[in-house]
Amino acid sequence: MKYSKFFGKTSKTISSEIKFKSHKLLVQAGFIAESTAGRYYMLPLGQLVQNKLVDVVRKHMNKSQAQEMLTPVCHPLELWQETNRDAASGFELTLVEDRRGAQFALGGTAEEMFVDVVRRYNLSYKDLPFNIYQFGYKFRDEKRARAGLLRVREFLMKDAYAFTQNEEQFAEIYADMTKTYLNIFGELGLHSKVVASDNGFIGGDYCHEFIVDSEIGESRYLQAEGHDYVAHEDIAVFVKQDINSADAEDSLTEVDADRPKTVKAGAELHGLPLERQIKNVAFSSQSKGYVLAVIRADLDVNVRKLENLLGVIEDDLEPMEASDVIDVLGSYPGFISPVGIKNDLKTDKEVIVVGDDSLRTIKNAYTGANVKKRDLLNVNIDRDYTCDIEGDIALAQAGYMHESGGKLVEKLGIEVANIFQNGYHYTSKMAGANFVDANNQEQNLYMGCFGIGIGRTLQTIAEIHADDKGLVWPKSVTPYHVHLIGIKAAEYAQDLYDKLLEEGFEVLFDDRDDRPGSMFADADLIGIPVRVVASGRLENESKYEFKLRSEKDAELLSLEELITKLNKFYNA
């Protein structure tokens, strides 16, 4: 391809609203262009990289014996209604209606579609297990599109769906797909970590994210130093040290508390350790009414853990307004207490008290008294208050200890893929999602899903493989093999271009009559791994300048040496 005819050239300036390096470089180098917020044109350079990326993923998926297919983009809404995900999703569906009045959802994920196609066949245990996948466009009405291709409303995904007889059979595929994904990202030049995570919208009992460490990532996870434990903040656990659970219980006492509305102020007023204070956080729930989360005051509430314990969807809980604490709970902000919280309610809705298991590590705690500037001392669980639900709702933090003996270290990264165990989550809700077992009995299919965000992975590569001059593409996904620049030697450069094409190399030929410095800068910005210069200065010697994008120095090569060098580089 000749750059003079190329669509989507480099830009000198870009919007000041673009903050992240990879986003800037992809726009400036002419790989992507924004359509509307969260939706992008994949320009020719970007499409070439995306195609290479897809090829790498497809190669490894096929090697794992997964089979490629394709579902329609428009999902019949009744399929989503079968699983109740039309009403209970973690994101708003984009709905369309055809001329017949039939309603469809633009697929945000495709579990229902794959279950639907599978249940159309009379499957036997002899047909299982199998893993089917697609490269399909997904539509998610994100509240906050940001950071280029990292959080968008329309994107290409590789999603796979495994169907098995049981959990044991599925576990083998899960382990195999974990290895397959690590091999995929290794070939793409990305070091990804397998991080235990929350299933959230997809459903099931367990899942893992593949995270590439990066400061621009939105995935916060914790790792135990010197140990294998790695978990997303949504589910990370830690040891809650016993404080004084063996102490004898003292008498409950109510006292004046002329203090600000903070736990720190409570500790200072009473001269007691923060970890012996009880913190109470009030939430309104879309599905449950009201929730009071009760936890040791030196810890913070993990809202996602709380939602999981309650069995509600992500973002179901919202912090209660101060006025509602007074008008609905009959308490007072900063002085809320689990003791007697249900006695003065001013609502017909349920109030669920959820206690963190850290409450079992303290005796004679102190907290508010549900009255402004009044506190309670010597508060003890079971005797003075009870919880409707108890469990782990605490947010893990860097420095906490894990049960393995390692101290937790906080990391930040980009989620490029995820794998989910769904079990019977979908097949039990969708009629006919069965197989006939060896005893001729119908059983629900056991399933799981495996996704890779193609655009997100593309930008992650751009974020990791770049320097102060521009992109530095790994050779597995480079848009072209060679960036050829002709300098005052049009015929000489054209002849080399033709010969490289004959040898099977993909070449971007900068044939513009431009300043060498400008063409070199564009080559560095675009980031093709190999730059070759054909110039009038070297024509009489029949030499060409060969330079790797990742290195500073260039070398002069004959045509034969150049072909040998390129073959060795790309076949290594």
Side-chain angles (χ1 to χ4, degrees), residues 88 90 197-204 207 304 308 313-314 420 425-426:
S197 305
D198 176 60
N199 267 19
F201 173 77
I202 302 298
C207 79
R304 190 68 199 112
N308 284 336
I313 64 170
E314 190 172 358
F420 295 86
H425 186 83
Y426 296 96

Side-chain angles (χ1 to χ4, degrees), residues 1-6 9 45 480-501 505-513 519 523 526 528 530 532-535 544:
M1 171 58 67
K2 293 186 176 180
Y3 195 70
S4 62
K5 306 299 182 184
F6 201 78
K9 294 182 173 63
L45 276 175
Y480 292 94
H481 296 130
V482 177
H483 194 133
L484 172 62
I485 296 175
I487 300 176
K488 296 182 179 179
E491 291 185 10
Y492 188 52
Q494 177 68 47
D495 184 56
L496 177 60
Y497 176 59
D498 294 337
K499 289 176 180 176
L500 290 174
L501 293 179
F505 294 107
E506 300 160 354
V507 184
L508 179 60
F509 176 20
D510 193 341
D511 60 332
R512 298 173 296 172
D513 184 16
M519 292 190 286
I526 292 169
I528 295 168
V530 175
V532 175
V533 177
S535 68
Y544 306 95

Side-chain angles (χ1 to χ4, degrees), residues 87-362:
S89 68
F91 52 83
E92 296 299 323
L93 293 175
T94 301
L95 302 180
V96 295
E97 189 174 295
D98 69 11
R99 66 177 66 193
R100 299 175 294 108
Q103 287 190 306
F104 298 87
L106 295 180
T109 180
E111 284 77 11
E112 286 85 355
M113 291 293 282
F114 274 82
V115 173
D116 182 55
V117 71
V118 165
R119 68 179 173 178
R120 293 165 184 257
Y121 296 86
N122 298 319
L123 293 177
S124 155
Y125 71 96
K126 295 178 181 179
D127 300 312
L128 302 172
F130 60 85
N131 190 7
I132 47 181
Y133 76 98
Q134 68 172 346
F135 293 95
Y137 277 92
K138 302 292 183 287
F139 303 84
R140 298 186 182 177
D141 196 6
E142 290 280 358
K143 294 179 181 178
R144 188 169 57 95
R146 63 181 290 276
L149 304 178
L150 295 186
R151 184 168 290 279
V152 290
R153 297 189 171 103
E154 182 176 334
F155 57 97
L156 182 64
M157 175 181 278
K158 189 288 300 176
D159 46 331
Y161 301 85
F163 293 87
T164 69
Q165 295 182 48
N166 49 42
E167 201 281 335
E168 291 76 20
Q169 208 173 61
F170 174 75
E172 294 180 9
I173 292 182
Y174 198 86
D176 184 57
M177 289 305 299
T178 300
K179 294 177 183 177
T180 296
Y181 273 27
L182 290 173
N183 290 335
I184 287 170
F185 293 118
E187 185 167 344
L188 296 175
L190 297 176
H191 175 65
S192 61
K193 293 180 181 176
V194 185
V195 179
S197 305
D198 176 60
N199 267 19
F201 173 77
I202 302 298
D205 294 330
Y206 57 86
C207 79
H208 291 81
E209 292 180 3
F210 289 74
I211 294 177
V212 176
D213 286 352
S214 171
E215 293 182 358
I216 74 169
E218 291 184 319
S219 291
R220 176 180 173 269
Y221 70 95
L222 295 114
Q223 184 168 2
E225 283 185 323
H227 298 270
D228 294 335
Y229 180 77
V230 185
H232 194 280
E233 68 171 339
D234 287 344
I235 65 166
V237 297
F238 59 96
V239 175
K240 297 166 187 176
Q241 297 291 343
D242 187 274
I243 306 303
N244 66 333
S245 66
D247 287 3
E249 294 182 355
D250 294 331
S251 299
L252 181 67
T253 305
E254 186 172 334
V255 298
D256 289 330
D258 188 6
R259 61 172 176 81
K261 299 181 291 185
T262 65
V263 292
K264 182 180 179 181
E268 292 173 350
L269 175 67
H270 299 296
L272 292 169
L274 185 65
E275 58 267 25
R276 278 182 55 191
Q277 185 175 178
I278 293 173
K279 178 164 59 178
N280 306 275
V281 186
F283 297 91
S284 59
S285 166
Q286 299 175 38
S287 58
K288 298 286 188 179
Y290 299 98
V291 175
L292 183 67
V294 187
I295 194 170
R296 220 169 64 188
D298 61 319
L299 305 175
D300 291 322
V301 173
N302 183 321
V303 178
R304 190 68 199 112
K305 283 185 181 179
L306 178 59
E307 289 172 334
N308 284 336
L309 202 57
L310 287 163
V312 299
I313 64 170
E314 190 172 358
D315 297 329
D316 177 86
L317 298 177
E318 292 288 342
M320 284 186 71
E321 298 290 340
S323 59
D324 288 335
V325 171
I326 299 170
D327 298 338
V328 175
L329 298 185
S331 185
Y332 197 85
F335 295 87
I336 305 174
S337 173
V339 181
I341 188 64
K342 297 189 179 185
N343 295 342
D344 297 313
L345 297 178
K346 301 174 183 179
T347 177
D348 294 331
K349 293 183 178 180
E350 185 179 11
V351 175
I352 303 172
V353 178
V354 181
D356 184 65
D357 51 19
S358 63
L359 299 171
R360 297 288 174 181
T361 70
I362 54 176

